[in-house]
Amino acid sequence: MADTIRNLFSVIQFGGPLVGGLLALGAAVATPMVRRSDLKQELKEVRNQGIVWGVIVAPLGTVIIQFLLTSVVAGGASCAF
């Protein structure tokens, strides 16, 4: 069970920035090619959300969960990252 939890948070830790960065980069590249202003606004929101959630929140969430597992949960020390 501990290995499953560790693997799950490894996916969050490394997959979050990868997907968030990919969304942000795709939105930044596609924005100049779009003519409609409402679609440009949506692409800018996708870019911002990709940066915030993928690059900032996912790694920070992993650190918080790591602290909870090692300090609060009984037997959670075996889930070291």
Side-chain angles (χ1 to χ4, degrees), residues 44-65:
K44 287 179 183 178
E45 289 178 22
V46 167
R47 182 189 64 204
N48 294 339
Q49 291 295 321
I51 291 172
V52 168
W53 288 100
V55 179
I56 298 171
V57 174
L60 185 62
T62 304
V63 171
I64 291 169
I65 292 171

Side-chain angles (χ1 to χ4, degrees), residues 17-74:
L18 181 67
V19 172
L22 184 66
L23 284 173
L25 181 63
V29 169
T31 301
M33 293 181 239
V34 175
R35 289 181 171 257
R36 293 182 16 209
S37 63
D38 58 337
L39 190 56
K40 279 189 179 188
Q41 184 64 31
E42 289 181 22
L43 285 173
K44 287 179 183 178
E45 289 178 22
V46 167
R47 182 189 64 204
N48 294 339
Q49 291 295 321
I51 291 172
V52 168
W53 288 100
V55 179
I56 298 171
V57 174
L60 185 62
T62 304
V63 171
I64 291 169
I65 292 171
Q66 177 184 2
F67 169 75
L68 291 175
L69 284 175
T70 57
S71 302
V72 177
V73 177

